[in-house]
Amino acid sequence: MIEYADALQRMLACATALPVETVPLEQAAGRVLAREVSSPQCLPPFDNSAMDGFALRCNGAPMAAGTELEVQGWLAAGDAASEGGQGAWEIMTGARMPDGLDSVIPVEQVRIVASSDGRPQRIELLKDVTPGQHVRLRGQDVQTGEVLLEAGSTLALNACTLLHATGVGEVEVRAQPRVAVIATGKELVSDAAQALEVGQIRDSNRPYLVGRLQAAGAAVVWQGVVGDDVDAFNAALQSALDAGAQLVLSTGAVSQGRYDFIPEALRARGATIHFHKVAIRPGKPLLFARLPDGALYFGLPGNPVSAAVGQRFFVEPVLRRLLGMPAETTLQLPLRADVRKPPGLRFHARARVELGADGQLSARVLAGQESFRLMSMLQANAWVVLDINDDEIARAGTPVQVQGWGHRDPVRLAAMEVS
């Protein structure tokens, strides 16, 4: 049995960043940038009005209320450039400022002195005008050549919106890691609506892992369920590899029981087992191997929370390495109450990050930490990690490591319950 830090280094040593591919921006959501992106243009691309109103020429000096001006023209968003002259221009929000004009007064701050065919011909200012007011300047948001996103950034919705606005039509991203999931156990039933017979349970690990892997940036290319049978397992594993899987996750059959056949099945295929059993709870029987074709194999325990811990703290760091992402940063927050840690083990606890009435954040480890319990996974919004060398009892107020439910999932705050 090895410690987590050693296991992590062994896994990362087997992973290198995947190749770069160019994809259209409309297909890039959720992908990870392989190169930084700089803006090819300014944003806004031209001076434009922030208000419906009248564009004026202040020339750096305030314009007093009571001033009357002839209206020289009218501009809406999308109209071509115009020469401003000395008067005023009726202008709509987003319209390009006429050349030479530098300020806008809102329409509700003028009086129409004269009009023709429904268009103002002459206006009176009802308020003083400050030079430059209500004008969005060219490049005020983004300058040409400015770095928008660094390599390793995830292209979330806001990032894609900015790239679209600045004229970036395609991006260089890392290839998505191709992953397969095999759930083992003759007791498993895949159909959630199917009535259970004696001894059966529903296969909840596989859909959970598939969802978490997709959220983490992977492409799931194969998934399936097999019984406690070596031949069926080998057939499933071969199908996963034939589908192009670069990582294979299985659940169950990695401990020391009669039906825990996966370690020997992998050895029979010529796999190199880098470790089997890690000093953690839950999830101690976890196995990591490399198959002869180079695919990485994660044998996760069958209990749901053990499988979740294996995916979050073993698989996801490897995915980050494959995607060219930096090491994950973590939060440090005080414990809300004392927590007892299993001696000699690193403990991954389901927890809630809460905002107290005092405005301070804290982490509360939930009751019911057994690895079969799913309800606490629903209640949790974060993981609290107590290291192997931490005291057996972590006292309230002690800063602890806090991580989101997934490496790309922010911790979502919860209000502290007050009794």
Side-chain angles (χ1 to χ4, degrees):
M1 185 165 65
I2 65 174
E3 293 187 11
Y4 175 77
D6 187 6
L8 181 63
Q9 291 308 310
R10 295 188 194 190
M11 293 186 300
L12 294 179
C14 295
T16 56
L18 293 173
V20 177
E21 56 189 35
T22 301
V23 299
L25 181 62
E26 60 267 22
Q27 299 174 16
R31 302 294 295 273
V32 176
L33 282 176
R35 308 270 190 270
E36 71 174 26
V37 179
S38 298
S39 179
Q41 66 168 64
C42 285
L43 191 67
F46 47 81
D47 294 354
N48 68 89
S49 176
M51 305 285 285
D52 291 342
F54 292 86
L56 314 171
R57 184 194 299 269
C58 283
N59 279 331
M63 192 174 291
T67 301
E68 292 192 9
L69 297 164
E70 299 293 330
V71 178
Q72 305 294 315
W74 305 268
L75 280 173
D79 287 349
S82 300
E83 183 63 38
Q86 294 299 318
W89 281 68
E90 187 179 16
I91 194 165
M92 303 298 111
T93 302
R96 183 185 180 115
M97 290 290 290
D99 294 342
L101 304 192
D102 54 26
S103 309
V104 171
I105 186 169
V107 64
E108 59 268 23
Q109 295 178 7
V110 303
R111 182 175 70 88
I112 307 300
V113 176
S115 62
S116 176
D117 296 328
R119 289 189 178 274
Q121 301 292 318
R122 186 174 181 82
I123 61 171
E124 176 191 2
L125 308 185
L126 300 180
K127 287 194 174 182
D128 295 344
V129 176
T130 302
Q133 72 174 35
H134 304 310
V135 175
R136 306 163 179 158
L137 298 177
R138 179 178 185 272
Q140 186 175 352
D141 190 11
V142 175
Q143 290 287 327
T144 301
E146 182 177 343
V147 175
L148 301 176
L149 294 166
E150 302 286 349
S153 301
T154 297
L155 289 169
L157 178 60
N158 289 353
C160 290
T161 300
L162 178 61
L163 295 182
H164 191 99
T166 52
V168 177
E170 59 183 26
V171 288
E172 292 181 282
V173 297
R174 291 287 174 189
Q176 286 185 283
R178 300 188 300 274
V179 187
V181 179
I182 305 172
T184 72
K186 65 180 181 180
E187 74 277 18
L188 297 180
V189 173
S190 296
D191 184 355
Q194 180 179 329
L196 297 180
E197 296 182 5
V198 175
Q200 291 184 328
I201 61 173
R202 294 188 176 86
D203 166 32
S204 60
N205 283 341
R206 179 182 49 82
Y208 174 84
L209 292 173
V210 167
R212 289 255 52 100
L213 289 164
Q214 291 169 337
V220 177
V221 296
W222 192 91
Q223 55 178 300
V225 181
V226 299
D228 299 315
D229 178 84
V230 175
D231 291 339
F233 167 75
N234 279 324
L237 178 54
Q238 192 59 52
S239 295
L241 296 175
D242 291 344
Q246 298 160 307
L247 287 76
V248 179
L249 282 63
S250 66
T251 63
V254 291
S255 191
Q256 292 181 319
R258 180 186 300 272
Y259 299 106
D260 294 327
F261 57 86
I262 283 180
E264 287 306 316
L266 293 177
R267 290 188 182 96
R269 295 180 68 99
T272 300
I273 296 181
H274 289 276
F275 60 80
H276 184 194
K277 294 186 181 178
V278 186
I280 62 171
R281 182 173 293 174
K284 185 168 66 173
L286 193 144
L287 175 149
F288 174 70
R290 187 163 199 159
L291 300 177
D293 68 347
L296 304 181
Y297 190 97
F298 297 83
L300 310 181
N303 276 319
V305 183
S306 298
V309 166
Q311 189 277 333
R312 177 65 179 93
F313 294 98
F314 291 79
V315 178
E316 289 200 6
V318 171
L319 291 178
R320 289 183 70 91
R321 175 64 60 90
L322 295 173
L323 290 167
M325 302 177 75
E328 185 178 353
T329 57
T330 62
L331 296 173
Q332 291 284 323
L333 292 175
L335 282 173
R336 193 78 192 177
D338 292 355
V339 177
R340 182 175 293 276
K341 181 186 78 70
L345 300 175
R346 173 181 159 115
F347 184 36
H348 304 90
R350 286 144 281 170
R352 282 173 69 84
V353 172
E354 298 174 326
L355 182 65
D358 57 0
Q360 300 300 308
L361 293 176
S362 63
R364 177 169 62 90
V365 171
L366 299 173
Q369 289 291 323
E370 296 91 340
S371 60
F372 73 90
R373 291 183 180 269
L374 289 174
M375 184 58 77
S376 57
M377 291 177 66
L378 177 63
Q379 296 164 343
N381 64 4
W383 295 98
V384 159
V385 179
L386 300 178
D387 199 45
I388 189 170
N389 296 317
D390 290 344
D391 294 338
E392 187 172 337
I393 297 180
R395 299 296 182 186
T398 302
V400 292
Q401 178 179 323
V402 177
Q403 293 179 243
W405 206 250
H407 78 103
R408 301 205 299 188
D409 297 337
V411 174
R412 303 183 188 280
L413 300 183
M416 188 182 70
E417 296 178 1
V418 179
S419 58

